Amino acid sequence: MKIKKKGVWKSWNENIQHSYENLYQITTEAELQKIIKESEKVRFFGNKQSSADIGAGINTLIDIRSYDKILSYNEEQKHITVQAGIKLVDLIEAVEAKGWCIPCLPDINTVTLGGALATGTHGTSGKLLASYVHTFRVILADGSLKEITEKEELMDAFRVSLGVLGVYSTVTFACETNYTLHVKEEPQKDSNWLESISTNLTKFDFLRILWLPHTGKGYQITGEKVPAEKEISENLGPKYLQYRRSFSKLLYKYTHIFPWITAIANKILGRLFFSSKRELKGSLYQATVTKSRGSTIELAEWTVDLAVFPQVFQELKKTINQWSNNSFIHIPMDVRFLEKDSSWLSYAYGKNTVTMGCVSRNASTADSYEAFKTIEKIFIKYGGRPHWGKRFEAKDAQLNEIYPKWSDFKKLRKELDPTNKFLNGYLKQVFNETT
Ligand SMILES: Cc1cc2nc3c(=O)[nH]c(=O)nc-3n(C[C@H](O)[C@H](O)[C@H](O)COP(=O)(O)OP(=O)(O)OC[C@H]3O[C@@H](n4cnc5c(N)ncnc54)[C@H](O)[C@@H]3O)c2cc1C
């Protein structure tokens, strides 16, 4: 185990920074247990890619990225067991090499598994990543080890835990047989994609809309499962599409000073990068997950009941198109769909849900990005739930209203961590604790 003394912890986009006294880079479960047991206060982190201030802010920190081995496979059950610091890219590649898949993947592969699970990371047309966990080995606040399997009710509390119930040590995933998707991408007017959501959710195995604010359009991505050998003439669109993110960054460079430039930039970006059709074939991972990002961003994301989404969308669209409130939004707003589940802090607890992302491509000026505040105000009004790893203001009282299991989760947290060992300043506010 390596130890770093007295330094500054910085999130990936450097928006969050905290000094620390001791930072441990662990490689074994025993090391993890020992530090947790012996620390009065401690936080642990993965790839530091959350926009919420949940990874550090305590004098003792644990970096779990070097605790990242694949431990075993169960061929019969299609189970894989890994250490929680593994990056998603390594986990997914190992799963695919077996001919298996995890059937719902986020649009990022650099995050750690532990970080992704703790914050309710998700993809589209399926369930949260955490829903596919079969077994956790967790280190609790007193340093003891607990195994939790999917048969136990406690599993629903632990699947999305914000890292406040304990540290996931190892994780066993229940995988499925891998499949091939025939993916089609095309621009659609807002009225078209919005009205066809229900039909498309039934018709397709994969549905995602990249909404293009201030343009009246979205870019719809659908996928159908096909036999792997089916011939498809792929059309990846013009070569210059690969420059979309860097070109966007350039156009948005001064939008923190002149936010209205965003509306014009979006029309240009829509024309250049979202007007052609594309068609491709591959596994869910190969055909739909972004493999690399050249620059940092700042993110918020809100989720709401599928049934009320059209109303929320119309209100959001109307609001951000009123130039007076300066709520201009960078391209794209990612619209995805989650099936209802039973994880206590899941966005889809008890209801089919739509998620809507909000991005600022200028990470360093995100504090002045009015859109983050506007989207929160609108979604909260409709009972919307914030993404745990992204930017939001809601605290205990509001969270209690939007998560039916909030008070049960708080009670369990207090039982498992009576001295608030795992709470940093931000999490204290979230859980309304003073110490
Ligand atoms: C470019 C980008 C794209 C994204 N795309 C998506 C997406 O498609 N879908 C989506 O839902 N989210 C998405 N996210 C959000 C991202 O998945 C989460 O913020 C995730 O938590 C980041 O993982 P990390 O390894 O960086 O975790 P960190 O940010 O380092 O940690 C996050 C939290 O997890 C806790 N934690 C870390 N390891 C453990 C562990 N072993 N046990 C318990 N708790 C632990 C930490 O204490 C902290 O509270 C995206 C983020 C970015 C920056």
Side-chain angles (χ1 to χ4, degrees):
M1 171 171 58
K2 288 191 193 143
I3 308 175
K4 289 187 188 168
K5 294 271 179 192
K6 286 194 191 296
V8 178
W9 183 97
K10 295 180 182 170
S11 62
W12 78 305
N13 61 17
E14 303 198 347
N15 273 358
I16 306 169
Q17 305 202 7
H18 292 289
S19 54
Y20 61 79
E21 292 292 325
N22 294 303
L23 191 159
Y24 298 92
Q25 292 171 308
I26 59 108
T27 55
T28 68
E29 188 172 70
E31 289 169 353
L32 193 53
Q33 264 185 293
K34 185 170 183 306
I35 301 163
I36 301 282
K37 186 173 178 196
E38 291 173 1
S39 303
E40 206 177 302
K41 287 259 178 196
V42 60
R43 267 316 295 151
F44 27 89
F45 60 87
N47 214 29
K48 308 193 276 186
Q49 289 192 269
S50 296
S51 293
D53 190 5
I54 47 178
I58 295 287
N59 276 337
T60 306
L61 299 178
I62 305 175
D63 181 348
I64 64 157
R65 286 174 292 184
S66 40
Y67 183 59
D68 62 351
K69 305 274 173 305
I70 294 168
L71 299 175
S72 63
Y73 296 93
N74 178 328
E75 307 278 344
E76 207 178 311
Q77 309 277 344
K78 296 196 185 73
H79 285 179
I80 181 169
T81 300
V82 295
Q83 293 174 335
I86 193 169
K87 287 216 169 122
L88 276 194
V89 54
D90 297 326
L91 170 64
I92 299 166
E93 283 179 4
V95 164
E96 289 216 331
K98 286 277 171 197
W100 307 342
C101 69
I102 298 169
C104 190
L105 295 174
D107 190 29
I108 184 163
N109 64 359
T110 51
V111 295
T112 62
L113 178 60
L117 296 173
T119 54
T121 293
H122 64 87
T124 189
S125 305
K127 296 188 173 176
L128 260 56
L129 202 57
S131 296
Y132 303 98
V133 172
H134 179 272
T135 308
F136 279 127
R137 271 163 76 90
V138 184
I139 317 283
L140 301 178
D142 60 5
S144 63
L145 192 63
K146 184 163 180 62
E147 187 163 292
I148 304 163
T149 72
E150 64 174 7
K151 292 202 184 86
E152 296 162 69
E153 211 193 323
L154 203 55
M155 187 60 148
D156 281 333
F158 271 82
R159 285 189 198 275
V160 181
S161 70
L162 313 187
V164 299
L165 300 183
V167 191
Y168 307 130
S169 171
T170 70
V171 183
T172 301
F173 263 101
C175 305
E176 294 178 11
T177 304
N178 207 358
Y179 54 86
T180 302
L181 274 182
H182 177 188
V183 174
K184 289 185 184 169
E185 307 182 355
E186 61 178 16
Q188 292 253 338
K189 281 193 184 142
D190 285 349
S191 51
N192 288 355
W193 68 259
L194 192 64
E195 272 168 28
S196 34
I197 286 177
S198 312
T199 322
N200 286 343
L201 281 174
T202 320
K203 189 169 162 199
F204 295 109
D205 300 298
F206 180 95
L207 178 66
R208 174 181 184 185
I209 290 103
L210 303 178
W211 186 49
L212 314 174
H214 316 292
T215 70
K217 288 194 183 124
Y219 193 70
Q220 182 169 278
I221 306 172
T222 57
E224 275 180 287
K225 288 182 186 173
V226 293
E229 60 283 0
K230 184 176 177 192
E231 291 226 358
I232 282 161
S233 62
E234 289 198 326
N235 163 18
L236 299 181
K239 272 233 159 78
Y240 68 80
L241 291 185
Q242 63 184 298
Y243 301 112
R244 186 206 2 133
R245 287 195 171 97
S246 41
F247 193 60
S248 308
K249 185 126 186 131
L250 198 72
L251 286 190
Y252 293 137
K253 192 165 178 193
Y254 296 106
T255 55
H256 59 293
I257 305 169
F258 306 111
W260 53 268
I261 295 176
T262 306
I264 298 159
N266 286 10
K267 289 190 177 69
I268 298 170
L269 292 166
R271 282 256 169 86
L272 281 176
F273 297 100
F274 295 97
S275 59
S276 45
K277 290 187 178 185
R278 280 170 31 100
E279 199 163 341
L280 60 151
K281 184 179 99 166
S283 67
L284 177 70
Y285 178 58
Q286 292 306 337
T288 70
V289 175
T290 307
K291 308 296 182 310
S292 71
R293 280 188 173 80
S295 56
T296 58
I297 49 179
E298 180 79 351
L299 294 164
E301 183 177 297
W302 284 82
T303 66
V304 78
D305 196 332
L306 178 61
V308 298
F309 177 70
Q311 208 181 332
V312 177
F313 176 78
Q314 295 299 2
E315 183 168 336
L316 177 75
K317 184 173 169 178
K318 192 169 159 210
T319 308
I320 66 167
N321 282 340
Q322 287 159 7
W323 285 37
S324 55
N325 61 30
N326 270 340
S327 298
F328 296 94
I329 305 188
H330 296 170
I331 273 177
M333 291 189 83
D334 202 345
V335 178
R336 291 179 283 180
F337 305 90
L338 291 172
E339 291 164 19
K340 75 172 169 193
D341 66 33
S342 53
S343 306
W344 292 6
L345 296 193
S346 162
Y347 318 118
Y349 177 82
K351 53 191 183 190
N352 291 328
T353 296
V354 181
T355 75
M356 194 169 199
C358 183
V359 59
S360 167
R361 297 206 173 267
N362 298 333
S364 62
T365 58
D367 283 347
S368 63
Y369 195 63
E370 280 301 314
F372 285 147
K373 293 167 206 151
T374 302
I375 186 175
E376 172 151 0
K377 221 182 279 165
I378 293 172
F379 272 77
I380 279 271
K381 202 167 108 187
Y382 291 92
R385 297 170 181 168
H387 191 297
W388 295 114
K390 302 187 182 179
R391 190 181 262 249
F392 65 93
E393 297 290 324
K395 298 285 179 307
D396 181 50
Q398 279 158 313
L399 296 169
N400 190 36
E401 283 185 14
I402 52 192
Y403 281 96
K405 286 291 206 178
W406 185 248
S407 58
D408 290 331
F409 186 86
K410 278 178 67 176
K411 195 163 155 252
L412 178 65
R413 191 202 68 75
K414 200 71 192 168
E415 275 166 32
L416 294 174
D417 181 14
T419 63
N420 297 336
K421 182 181 273 197
F422 294 138
L423 298 191
N424 65 7
Y426 173 87
L427 288 164
K428 274 196 261 178
Q429 286 184 14
V430 166
F431 289 101
N432 197 20
E433 292 283 350
T434 48
T435 54

